[in-house]
Amino acid sequence: MPEPSPRRPSHTREVLYRAFQRDDGLWDIEGEMRDTKSEVFDIPGEGLWQPGEAIHHMHIRLTLDTAFVVQDIHVAMDSVPHGECPSAQATMRRMVGCSLSGGWRQTIERQLGGVQGCAHLRELLFNMATVAFQALPNAFSGDAQRPPLHLGRCKAWDFDGPLVQKHHPVFFGYQPKPKKPAPPQA
């Protein structure tokens, strides 16, 4: 990247994801988010945070089976700016039974969107599917009828590209079926 213009730090968000294979055959995908400011941060009537002190510090652990279905979820909110924030933890249980395959972000929004949940926890959940697909060995396999989930999702894995032709020749030139539109809501 080019040298930036003169500037001073304001806000830092650190996000870390980890994946673990469990002895019982399940998988744990963990996410952690931490927000800090570079100067004293004051929310009148809520709190005063010193530089480097966590305003948000949140953790999620998803437990998945090998079919990418959420078997369990745990959430911790070590630091939050408002007293109401921790109440959003209970709704996270709605994700149990949901699949990280196809439509994960829409599932998160349907189960936890808006005032049903926490924007920061939703954001942390979004990328947990990507981490799971990187971790679980069957994520990159498909079958004769269905391409692996990563194909057609980025420039490198274009169905008409050289990587698909080399590694998944049966799907070279594949045309995904258009998704059915969602029925109108009453």
Side-chain angles (χ1 to χ4, degrees):
M1 292 186 29
E3 273 299 311
S5 297
R7 60 190 187 172
R8 61 185 173 85
S10 174
H11 179 83
T12 299
R13 171 165 288 175
E14 297 171 306
V15 180
L16 177 65
Y17 292 98
R18 294 186 180 104
F20 302 89
Q21 185 174 12
R22 295 169 31 146
D23 293 345
D24 61 4
L26 298 175
W27 291 79
D28 284 339
I29 309 300
E30 294 183 350
E32 177 180 359
M33 175 189 291
R34 188 171 186 274
D35 283 332
T36 59
K37 297 289 185 189
S38 301
E39 297 178 0
V40 172
F41 182 67
D42 182 22
I43 299 178
E46 300 285 339
L48 183 73
W49 290 264
Q50 296 302 312
E53 183 180 359
I55 299 162
H56 296 106
H57 191 190
M58 302 175 177
H59 312 262
I60 300 173
R61 179 186 304 131
L62 287 181
T63 300
L64 312 174
D65 62 17
T66 56
F68 298 93
V69 175
V70 177
Q71 301 299 306
D72 204 358
I73 187 169
H74 296 279
V75 179
M77 296 175 118
D78 296 342
S79 295
V80 294
H82 309 289
E84 294 81 4
C85 294
S87 66
Q89 294 176 94
T91 59
M92 298 294 285
R93 298 291 307 163
R94 295 178 186 173
M95 299 308 293
V96 174
C98 295
S99 173
L100 277 75
S101 299
W104 175 241
R105 287 180 181 241
Q106 291 84 2
T107 299
I108 292 168
E109 287 301 325
R110 188 172 49 257
Q111 298 294 334
L112 306 170
V115 298
Q116 299 178 85
C118 167
H120 294 84
L121 291 175
R122 282 193 304 274
E123 184 176 325
L124 196 53
L125 272 176
F126 286 152
N127 292 316
M128 294 182 96
T130 305
V131 176
F133 292 127
Q134 291 291 322
L136 275 71
N138 63 330
F140 291 97
S141 61
D143 56 40
Q145 310 300 313
R146 184 179 52 98
L149 296 172
H150 65 289
L151 299 189
R153 302 274 180 180
C154 74
K155 182 70 174 164
W157 290 108
D158 182 345
F159 286 110
D160 296 322
L163 281 178
V164 173
Q165 186 174 28
K166 178 180 177 181
H167 296 286
H168 302 281
V170 69
F171 294 110
F172 181 67
Y174 177 82
Q175 295 295 316
K177 294 183 176 117
K179 293 185 179 191
K180 296 177 184 175
Q185 296 191 5

Coordinates of all heavy atoms in Angstrom, one line a residue, residues 15 42 86 126 142 153 168 182-183 186:
V15 N -10.2 -8.7 15.4 CA -11.1 -9.9 15.2 C -10.2 -11.1 15.0 O -9.2 -11.0 14.2 CB -12.0 -9.7 14.1 CG1 -12.9 -10.9 13.9 CG2 -12.9 -8.4 14.2
D42 N -15.9 8.6 26.0 CA -17.0 8.9 27.0 C -18.3 8.7 26.4 O -18.6 9.4 25.4 CB -16.8 10.3 27.6 CG -17.8 10.6 28.7 OD1 -18.4 9.6 29.3 OD2 -18.0 11.8 29.0
P86 N -25.9 -7.2 27.2 CA -25.9 -8.7 27.5 C -27.2 -9.4 27.3 O -27.2 -10.6 27.1 CB -25.5 -8.7 29.0 CG -24.7 -7.4 29.2 CD -25.4 -6.4 28.3
F126 N -21.0 -13.7 11.0 CA -20.9 -13.8 9.6 C -19.7 -14.6 9.0 O -19.9 -15.4 8.2 CB -20.8 -12.4 9.0 CG -22.1 -11.6 9.0 CD1 -22.1 -10.2 9.0 CD2 -23.4 -12.2 9.0 CE1 -23.2 -9.4 9.1 CE2 -24.5 -11.5 9.0 CZ -24.5 -10.1 9.0
G142 N -17.2 -32.2 -3.2 CA -18.6 -32.1 -3.7 C -19.0 -33.5 -4.1 O -18.3 -34.5 -3.6
R153 N -17.5 -18.8 -6.1 CA -17.6 -17.8 -5.0 C -16.6 -16.7 -5.1 O -16.6 -15.8 -4.3 CB -17.5 -18.5 -3.7 CG -18.5 -19.6 -3.4 CD -19.8 -19.0 -2.9 NE -20.8 -20.0 -2.7 CZ -21.9 -19.8 -2.2 NH1 -22.3 -18.6 -1.9 NH2 -22.8 -20.8 -2.1
H168 N -11.2 -29.5 -10.6 CA -12.6 -30.0 -10.6 C -13.2 -30.0 -12.1 O -14.2 -29.3 -12.4 CB -13.5 -29.1 -9.7 CG -13.1 -29.0 -8.3 ND1 -13.3 -30.0 -7.4 CD2 -12.4 -28.1 -7.6 CE1 -12.8 -29.7 -6.2 NE2 -12.2 -28.5 -6.4
A182 N -37.6 -15.7 -2.9 CA -38.3 -15.9 -1.7 C -39.8 -15.5 -1.9 O -40.1 -14.5 -2.6 CB -37.7 -15.1 -0.6
P183 N -40.7 -16.3 -1.3 CA -42.1 -15.9 -1.4 C -42.4 -14.6 -0.7 O -41.7 -14.2 0.2 CB -42.8 -17.0 -0.7 CG -41.8 -17.7 0.2 CD -40.5 -17.5 -0.5
A186 N -46.4 -11.6 3.9 CA -47.7 -11.0 4.1 C -47.6 -9.9 5.1 O -46.8 -9.8 6.0 CB -48.7 -12.0 4.5

